[in-house]
Amino acid sequence: MYKSKEKIIDFLENFELDKIPKSVILEAKRAVLDTTGCMIAGIDTPLGEGLHKLSHRFEDKNGVTVLGRKIPISPFMAAMCNSYMANAHDADDGHRRSRLHAGGIIIPAALAVAEETRSTGKAFLEAVIIGFELGHRAGMVTTTWETYHGSAMGSTFGAAAASGRLLGLSSEQIINAMGIAEMQAPNCMLMGWIEAKKIPMVKEGMGWSAASGIMSAYMAQSGITGTLTIFKSDEKLSEIEKLGENFEISHRYYKPHPGCRWTHVPLQTLQTLMADKAINPEDVEKITIRTLTKAANLDDPSPSTMEDAQYSIPFVIAATLVDGEFGPGQMTFEKLHDPKILAVARKICIEAAPEFDKFFPGLIKNQVRVTTKQGNRFSAQSQKVKGDENFPLSDREIKNKFTWLSRNRLEKGQAQSIIDDIWSLEEQPDINRLIASFQAMTDK
């Protein structure tokens, strides 16, 4: 622990936005914009509506903003609500080595504390990057292929570090906050509800992770102690040794579609086939998809909720084939009961391919085979997924995704204003300029 403690202290005390690569700063802005779009898209979902009802219990005239709601609430609960909304469509970012969707946790936590403390845009960006660097490393040492904790476990450490930075805690206090987070981070065993094929709205415990991160920082600020132990072995310490040199924030992926990332691989393979072959949904006899062993659990052909649909390869593939695209417009109750989509979904067979497992998390291999009633057979394989580090979304695509996700709440000019504010965050003297843009779209 002592070696890791010394390294973390050195990283925190020498961390300044002006000293880090511009590419890292840009990646932080991309992450903030992407997460903000996901939060806005989550406002009008059943989960978002439930969170707005819940938020009335925590009204605080000195509190902070929940997107889509006029009355402020406590920062602790605002972070929880915004974080869950960020994951409502499952369109938020990810990081393979740590298995975390850290942006949807760390950014809502940092945003709540930044609003509370009236931080500068520069301080907010610094906190976000610190949160990602420590959160991703926590995820890398706590989650394995065999023990899949979900995003909440590792990201809580990052949320605590980001919150502590914005609260002005010393480096020792931030480590203490991370030690407290170690005791109260949500420990969600992800594969349990995937295998049960009943996906909860609060999947991966993300909102509570954001809230726990802030509370850990508050507790450390109040003199309560914790002990950080997760980096105790030499192997785990090696991840901390790279702090400030290898920025994990630069190794993340962004989703061009909503839904579990494991559904995107066959989706994009199918799109390749559709671009090359004229495939009429009514002519399909059978579609066979070979994928990772654990991804093969995502085989429900008739999901009953939006969350179930996000974890259903047959639904995602069928909706893409019928509608020609897959976005928030396909994640609706109407689409869940669309007879054309359901008819195709029932013709989709998911097969586990254990030989693909050894390439994960570096690559996600898959194969899609389509057989038509006319006897035609089309097949394609892929291992690159749009949005991954080796096949990234451009800045324009990230901005277009934000506009696309926020279109039900923002006019084009409003969306562009938020994009501009986020792209110039380091120049903003007060984060509340950005917050004011969020508040302008509220109607609740």
Side-chain angles (χ1 to χ4, degrees):
M1 166 59 198
Y2 292 104
K3 288 184 180 179
S4 63
K5 180 178 177 180
E6 290 169 3
K7 183 62 180 180
I8 294 171
I9 288 175
D10 181 67
F11 171 69
L12 291 171
E13 294 189 348
N14 289 286
F15 187 92
E16 291 181 26
L17 206 64
D18 298 335
K19 295 180 180 179
I20 65 173
K22 292 187 184 301
S23 60
V24 173
I25 299 171
L26 175 60
E27 203 57 50
K29 294 175 185 177
R30 283 159 55 92
V32 172
L33 183 62
D34 190 72
T35 299
T36 300
C38 292
M39 287 192 287
I40 295 172
I43 293 172
D44 296 309
T45 63
L47 173 59
E49 292 169 3
L51 290 166
H52 282 135
K53 291 177 183 177
L54 173 67
S55 67
H56 285 283
R57 293 175 176 267
F58 304 96
E59 290 179 3
D60 180 352
K61 65 180 181 180
N62 297 316
V64 301
T65 304
V66 173
L67 270 67
R69 190 176 187 276
K70 288 183 178 179
I71 300 173
I73 69 173
S74 72
F76 172 72
M77 297 308 295
M80 187 197 78
C81 292
N82 286 333
S83 176
Y84 276 134
M85 288 194 298
N87 186 240
H89 279 286
D90 218 295
D92 45 319
D93 63 20
H95 180 265
R96 285 265 165 69
R97 289 186 65 209
S98 64
R99 319 288 204 274
L100 301 184
H101 298 292
I105 294 169
I106 292 167
I107 290 169
L111 194 64
V113 180
E115 182 179 357
E116 177 191 25
T117 58
R118 298 187 68 86
S119 297
T120 65
K122 180 180 179 182
F124 171 68
L125 278 177
E126 287 181 344
V128 166
I129 297 169
I130 286 169
F132 273 119
E133 295 312 304
L134 291 169
H136 282 318
R137 285 171 171 79
M140 286 189 282
V141 302
T142 56
T143 292
T144 66
W145 180 249
E146 293 75 23
T147 307
Y148 203 156
H149 291 291
S151 293
M153 182 65 166
S155 297
T156 307
F157 293 85
S163 299
R165 178 77 172 200
L166 288 163
L167 287 170
L169 301 189
S170 68
S171 300
E172 289 273 3
Q173 286 175 308
I174 290 174
I175 290 174
N176 197 46
M178 292 173 67
I180 295 170
E182 185 172 325
M183 298 305 297
Q184 58 193 26
N187 186 11
C188 133
M189 300 305 288
L190 186 68
M191 292 308 299
W193 42 262
I194 288 180
E195 292 169 358
K197 297 178 176 57
K198 184 61 179 175
I199 313 301
M201 284 186 178
V202 293
K203 50 188 182 290
E204 302 205 44
M206 291 182 63
W208 202 247
S209 175
S212 291
I214 287 182
M215 184 56 70
S216 297
Y218 284 163
M219 292 170 75
Q221 187 180 43
S222 301
I224 298 170
T225 63
T227 304
L228 183 63
T229 69
I230 59 171
F231 299 109
K232 58 186 176 182
S233 72
D234 288 342
E235 179 184 0
K236 294 175 179 179
L237 178 61
S238 68
E239 300 298 343
I240 287 296
E241 291 294 340
K242 300 169 188 175
L243 268 172
E245 300 170 13
N246 175 28
F247 286 90
E248 290 298 329
I249 193 173
S250 301
H251 303 303
R252 293 154 55 259
Y253 63 79
Y254 294 94
K255 296 181 179 181
H257 313 281
C260 174
R261 190 61 166 166
W262 287 347
T263 70
H264 293 185
V265 192
L267 184 163
Q268 292 181 22
T269 306
L270 175 70
Q271 287 178 323
T272 300
L273 275 176
M274 290 170 65
D276 188 46
K277 311 290 183 182
I279 304 174
N280 187 329
E282 296 178 356
D283 292 337
V284 170
E285 179 72 30
K286 183 180 181 181
I287 298 176
T288 301
I289 295 170
R290 304 186 73 246
T291 186
L292 301 172
T293 302
K294 290 186 176 180
N297 286 292
L298 279 58
D299 61 353
D300 184 1
S302 53
S304 58
T305 68
M306 191 169 79
E307 289 74 28
D308 290 344
Q310 293 164 9
Y311 284 76
S312 167
I313 293 175
F315 176 82
V316 170
I317 292 296
T320 302
L321 192 56
V322 171
D323 289 353
E325 63 176 359
F326 195 79
Q330 283 64 50
M331 284 293 185
T332 66
F333 287 114
E334 290 75 21
K335 294 297 182 181
L336 292 180
H337 302 287
D338 186 318
K340 291 183 180 179
I341 293 175
L342 292 176
V344 175
R346 286 191 287 269
K347 298 176 182 178
I348 297 174
C349 175
I350 311 298
E351 294 182 357
E355 67 272 22
F356 291 168
D357 292 349
K358 65 183 178 181
F359 297 100
F360 185 82
L363 300 171
I364 305 181
K365 291 201 170 192
N366 78 113
Q367 180 185 54
V368 176
R369 297 196 298 257
V370 179
T371 304
T372 69
K373 295 175 182 176
Q374 293 78 23
N376 297 316
R377 290 180 173 82
F378 309 122
S379 179
Q381 296 188 52
S382 69
Q383 60 188 29
K384 287 177 65 176
V385 194
K386 184 64 174 174
D388 273 8
E389 183 184 359
N390 63 355
F391 192 12
L393 295 184
S394 67
D395 291 348
R396 179 178 292 276
E397 287 172 318
I398 290 284
K399 293 175 182 180
N400 287 343
K401 178 185 172 184
F402 173 82
T403 303
W404 168 59
L405 287 172
S406 64
R407 69 193 185 284
N408 291 335
R409 284 278 173 163
L410 299 176
E411 299 293 337
K412 192 170 182 180
Q414 291 176 302
Q416 187 59 52
S417 177
I418 290 176
I419 291 170
D420 292 343
D421 283 346
I422 290 175
W423 234 246
S424 61
L425 265 171
E426 71 271 45
E427 301 166 12
Q428 302 292 335
D430 190 331
I431 194 71
N432 283 4
R433 171 173 167 171
L434 179 61
I435 299 298
S437 298
F438 297 157
Q439 292 170 340
M441 70 180 175
T442 61
D443 61 7
K444 297 184 188 294

